[in-house]
Each structure stands twice: as C-alpha cells, then as structure tokens.
Amino acid sequence: MLSEEALRNLDEYRRVRAYSATASSSAHLSNGFAYSPAQRNQIRESWDALMRWSKVFRTRKMSGSPLEASKKVVVFGGGSFGTAMGCALARQKADLEVVLLVRDPYLCRDINVLHENTRYLKGFKMPVNVRATTHAPEALAGAQYAVHAVPVQSSRAFLQGVKEYLPSTVPIICVSKGLEVGSGQMMSELIPSALERKQPAVFLSGPSFAKEVMQGRPTGVVAACKDAELAKTVQSLFASPTMRVNMTTDVVGVEICGALKNVLAIAAGIVEGMDLGHNALAALVAQGCAEIRWLSEKMGAKPTTMSGLSGLGDIMLTCYGDLSRNRSVGIRLGRGERLEDILASSSQVAEGVATAGVVVGLARKYRVSLPVLTAVAQVLDNNLTAREAVFHIMDLPQIEEA
Ligand SMILES: NC(=O)C1=CN([C@@H]2O[C@H](COP(=O)(O)OP(=O)(O)OC[C@H]3O[C@@H](n4cnc5c(N)ncnc54)[C@H](O)[C@@H]3O)[C@@H](O)[C@H]2O)C=CC1
Ligand SMILES: O=C(CO)COP(=O)(O)O
C-alpha cells in the first residue's frame, strides 16, 4: 500500500537499522580515532538500555490499537495537508476507508479516478483506500474520526455546514494552524463556538511539510488534548515507522506555537528575500522564539511545549525550510513584491498573513510587547516597507536578554 518513494525510504530506514545492529562490533572510527574500551562499553550499555525500554514499551502498546478498531476516517479539506495525512493513515491499514470531503467536483473526480490530488500534490499516487466526495452526509456516515484540514479563516463556515452530519461524539483531529480574524480565537475555541456544542478535539501540530509526509519521510508531530486518553488514542492512530507522535495536554501551547510560527516564518522570509545574511536570520529567529515564549507563557502554555515539536521544531522547519508557504510570502515581500500580487499568484494558504493581525490584539490583551511579530503585521498592512521594518527593529533600545 506504500508509494514507491515511501517504500524506498522504508528500505533505507531498515538498512540503517540493520547497520546499527552490527556496527557495535567495529572498533575504530574512520579517521583512526578510537574510543577507549570503557567508553565503548558505556555507549553500548546506554544504547542497549534504550532498546530494552523501547521493546517493553512497544509490547505494552500492542493491545487494542485504535487503528485496528478503525474502519472509516473522514478528512475535511482536500488541500495538501489533509491529503497527506489522510494518505499517511490509509497506508497503515489497507481496509481503512479514508474519505476526503472536498468542494471541487473536478478535484474529486481526479482523486477517485487517477488516485492523485492533481491540484495540491501533483505527481503523488494516493493509496486506493483513499477516496473523495463532495457530499458531506456521505463522507461523515459511519466515520470514527474527522481530520480537520480546512484553513482557519474558512473553518467556522465549514464546520457550521457539516454540523448536522457530524455526531457530537466523533473526535476532530485538527491540523489547521492559525487564529481566526475577528474573534481572535484558536481552533480549540473556534470548533465548539462554530458547532455550538462540545466536541472531542485533538490538536495535531509540529514540523510536517505535506510533501514530505506524502513521500513517507520521517516526521515528528505532537497530539494535544486536555483529555490525555484521547491524545494517546490519536498518538497511537498516527504513529507509524515514518511518523513519531508525542502527546501532551498543553493545547494552548501547541496551538499558539503553531499559529505564531507562521508569522515568524514570514519575517524569516523577509530577511532571506532582502539577503541580510545568516547572522540576521539567526538573530531574528531567536528574537521570534522569545516573543512566542513571552506570549504563550502569559496565555498559560507550558515552557516544555515551546522547546518541543510544535514550538522550536516547527519554527525551525518553517523559518528555514524551502517548502514553507509563509516563508515564501516573506521572501517575495523582502524582494519588494506587493502582498496582493503575492496572494493572487498562489492557490495555497499562508496562514501567517491573517494570523499576524490577530497576534497584535492578543499581545495587547496579555500586555506583552512583540516587536518582530508586530513589525510583520505592519509590513503586511502596508504601513512599513520591509526595509523600514528592519531599520526600526535594529534601532530598538539595547536590552537585557529575557
Ligand atoms: N501544507 C502543509 O505542509 C501543512 C499545513 N498545515 C495546516 O493545514 C491547514 C490546511 O492547509 P493545506 O492543506 O496546506 O492548505 P491548502 O491551501 O493546500 O488547501 C486548503 C484546502 O482547504 C479547502 N478549503 C478552503 N476553504 C474551504 C471551505 N470554506 N470549505 C471547504 N474547504 C475549504 C481548499 O479547497 C483546499 O482543499 C492550514 O491551517 C495549514 O496551516 C499544517 C501542517 C503542514
Ligand atoms: O506548518 C507547516 C509545516 O509544519 C507548513 O508551513 P507553511 O504553511 O508555511 O507551508
């Protein structure tokens, strides 16, 4: 059921594992340097302890897997990430029915006939147990989980539209990252507000470009839910040889990091587009990390979340990774293009653009100053050029590190 590329990656992964199993018998490193026998023993013992722990853990996990018990999963949104996550699930179990609920009948037909998302993930074959429909009642009938991958600004209208077909017991696994313009809400607030009821929901976030998930490349994400049992269920549902899933109960932390890193990625793109150099980029990303930490802590997030996959992990990916749409928007702004032209030329969502304005409101509410993130909103709002923003940020008073 795995694509050829995913199979190649798995083969490589198995070769590495086989190599690691035999490598401990070879004494010397290639440059003639060798660890002392005591060091080598210590290294081997530490590794063996890790492997023993891993084995015990895996054996305990075997019983009653949520994937085994699942028959149907619906994915809201047939964009790049909904498709990639739907395919990641489908590859794990051949008789799992994965249904993408899409708007466009032409895309729907391509997915069902060509087994390819010709608009958002061109060139990637989808597993045959993934299909698409434009009909919400059919998509939702009998689904045990709903993966929500609709852009944040369209999520309220979307959820209101499917509410009557979505049983209130079906967990939503939300992968959308951003804050709603107008309400300022995170997805964990928007979902119950749009549905006008409580709905179990887990927030899956972390460094995970859709294309690489689709290629079956190793990826790590975190599942956040106040209900730890549900977070563990989703952890176990998505965990595979190519996907590690941590769990946490810190929903606010995971959501705010996921939303704000998109704004920071626009800033990183601007620095890149203006060719300001590696020093500038590293200083900017470090400052952005501090700003995200200041706000998220005031909102009640755990500090560990900031240094985890949804925090630092996703910040590094989006600020430095070529596949980031938010970073691309920033690069083009930094090169002098107008925002409206950039947005008009892209069919994909860059959540940071809308989120940037909302962050400024949150910063005021929580009485925290966020120079870089506010500067991004100013540039996007056309009140500052990228060059002016950089000048003003560099000219801020020199401070004690906080
Ligand atoms: N692409 C990626 O690598 C990742 C994306 N995400 C997040 O996932 C969310 C979705 O992003 P992508 O799939 O990348 O977006 P995309 O731009 O590839 O596709 C968005 C999809 O949502 C659909 N859509 C938009 N408005 C809709 C509406 N009102 N009703 C129904 N469907 C609607 C579009 O038709 C399209 O299928 C975003 O919040 C993004 O930040 C998270 C992790 C990785
Ligand atoms: O969230 C993402 C990866 O984790 C995707 O980032 P972009 O939306 O900037 O492409």
Side-chain angles (χ1 to χ4, degrees):
M1 197 50 65
L2 288 174
S3 69
E4 267 179 41
E5 184 141 19
L7 275 173
R8 268 199 306 278
N9 284 332
L10 257 185
D11 276 353
E12 178 64 19
Y13 168 76
R14 286 188 182 123
R15 263 198 302 278
V16 171
R17 284 187 75 146
Y19 170 79
S20 322
T22 54
S24 58
S25 59
S26 65
H28 292 275
L29 301 181
S30 57
N31 60 1
F33 170 85
Y35 291 123
S36 72
Q39 275 175 316
R40 292 191 62 221
N41 259 342
Q42 210 170 46
I43 295 166
R44 218 173 11 234
E45 275 173 23
S46 298
W47 184 251
D48 289 348
L50 190 67
M51 293 299 105
R52 277 197 303 277
W53 168 80
S54 170
K55 202 169 165 186
V56 171
F57 200 80
R58 228 190 311 262
T59 325
R60 273 199 215 132
K61 208 194 107 178
M62 296 290 263
S63 54
S65 122
L67 188 65
E68 252 172 60
S70 303
K71 290 190 167 50
K72 181 175 177 184
V73 173
V74 60
V75 179
F76 296 156
S80 46
F81 204 50
T83 302
M85 292 304 269
C87 290
L89 273 181
R91 282 179 195 139
Q92 289 200 65
K93 191 181 171 194
D95 61 351
L96 177 71
E97 187 186 359
V98 176
V99 183
L100 307 187
L101 177 56
V102 302
R103 289 183 300 179
D104 178 355
Y106 296 104
L107 178 62
C108 184
R109 189 207 50 201
D110 281 359
I111 292 172
N112 291 335
V113 176
L114 306 173
H115 302 291
E116 186 180 328
N117 186 327
T118 44
R119 177 155 330 142
Y120 293 101
L121 279 169
K122 211 169 164 46
F124 290 97
K125 274 280 168 258
M126 297 167 69
V128 289
N129 52 331
V130 180
R131 65 181 177 87
T133 178
T134 54
H135 193 49
E138 186 218 321
L140 276 151
Q144 286 144 299
Y145 299 93
V147 176
H148 181 94
V150 173
V152 171
Q153 309 312 325
S154 305
S155 285
R156 184 177 292 275
F158 176 87
L159 288 167
Q160 284 165 347
V162 299
K163 176 184 167 182
E164 62 179 299
Y165 315 111
L166 174 70
S168 62
T169 50
V170 170
I172 292 183
I173 302 165
C174 176
V175 297
S176 304
K177 299 171 183 170
L179 303 169
E180 190 187 34
V181 173
S183 71
Q185 289 178 338
M186 295 180 281
M187 287 301 295
S188 52
E189 301 164 311
L190 187 157
I191 292 170
S193 159
L195 296 174
E196 298 175 295
R197 64 173 188 235
K198 281 190 179 164
Q199 185 87 25
V202 179
F203 301 86
L204 201 61
S205 191
S208 47
F209 283 139
K211 189 174 167 197
E212 295 191 2
V213 170
M214 199 65 185
Q215 288 168 326
R217 292 184 170 194
T219 297
V221 291
V222 55
C225 182
K226 290 211 178 92
D227 173 356
E229 282 314 305
L230 185 54
K232 282 182 195 160
T233 300
V234 169
Q235 177 180 46
S236 164
L237 192 65
F238 279 91
S240 77
T242 55
M243 191 170 292
R244 284 193 55 79
V245 187
N246 291 348
M247 61 78 63
T248 176
T249 54
D250 183 12
V251 173
V252 170
V254 164
E255 276 224 83
I256 207 72
C257 285
L260 268 56
K261 66 88 192 170
N262 284 333
V263 183
L264 182 56
I266 295 176
I270 289 176
V271 167
E272 186 89 30
M274 292 175 70
D275 198 18
L276 297 181
H278 299 301
N279 294 353
L281 185 56
L284 173 100
V285 173
Q287 168 68 20
C289 286
E291 293 182 18
I292 295 174
R293 175 167 51 82
W294 297 335
L295 180 63
S296 62
E297 280 181 3
K298 287 230 174 164
M299 293 177 74
K302 291 182 187 163
T304 43
T305 304
M306 179 64 209
S307 56
L309 287 167
S310 64
L312 268 185
D314 216 357
I315 289 170
M316 285 194 273
L317 182 83
T318 329
C319 290
Y320 292 97
D322 287 340
L323 293 175
S324 165
R325 285 98 33 110
N326 288 288
R327 179 174 173 273
S328 301
V329 167
I331 290 177
R332 293 176 66 179
L333 284 170
R335 288 182 183 151
E337 284 189 59
R338 282 159 13 120
L339 180 64
E340 53 192 290
D341 296 336
I342 299 170
L343 296 184
S345 68
S346 168
S347 60
Q348 290 211 296
V349 66
E351 294 276 22
V353 174
T355 294
V358 186
V359 172
V360 176
L362 269 185
R364 288 165 76 96
K365 180 173 167 191
Y366 287 93
R367 295 172 183 280
V368 49
S369 165
L370 309 177
V372 163
L373 301 182
T374 307
V376 173
Q378 277 284 71
V379 172
L380 292 171
D381 200 28
N382 225 359
N383 296 324
L384 277 184
T385 64
R387 200 160 295 281
E388 286 165 342
V390 171
F391 171 80
H392 288 301
I393 292 285
M394 287 305 290
D395 203 36
L396 285 172
Q398 314 297 323
I399 53 156
E400 184 178 352
E401 214 161 56

